[in-house]
Amino acid sequence: MIGKILFDFVQALSKFDLDTKMLLLRVLVRAGQSPSANLYLKERLQRILDEDDRPLVSPSPRQVQSREVKR
């Protein structure tokens, strides 16, 4: 079972470019250095998912300028 998971993981990694592999490695190293690797990874991955699920909003909402009314 573990061998199959490891094989699938290595196959998936082979599709990534070097920069992506390095980013993944950095995240895993930081997780390993944290007091709770599981909590570290869960929080980071949840943050990514939450950001992806957030509705798209215009970066700068259009501001309506008020006009003076002549009397």
Side-chain angles (χ1 to χ4, degrees), residues 54-61:
R54 192 173 345 157
L56 294 177
V57 178
S58 171
S60 61

Side-chain angles (χ1 to χ4, degrees), residues 12-52:
L13 283 179
S14 68
K15 298 175 184 176
F16 297 140
D17 63 11
L18 182 60
D19 291 337
T20 304
K21 289 177 187 176
M22 292 304 293
L23 286 170
L24 285 171
L25 182 60
R26 287 175 56 197
V27 169
L28 292 175
V29 168
R30 287 184 184 181
Q33 293 172 341
S34 73
S36 174
N38 287 327
L39 183 60
Y40 180 90
L41 286 174
K42 285 179 187 178
E43 288 175 350
R44 296 308 185 274
L45 292 172
Q46 189 62 54
R47 189 182 306 168
I48 292 168
L49 291 174
D50 290 346
E51 187 173 309
D52 285 349

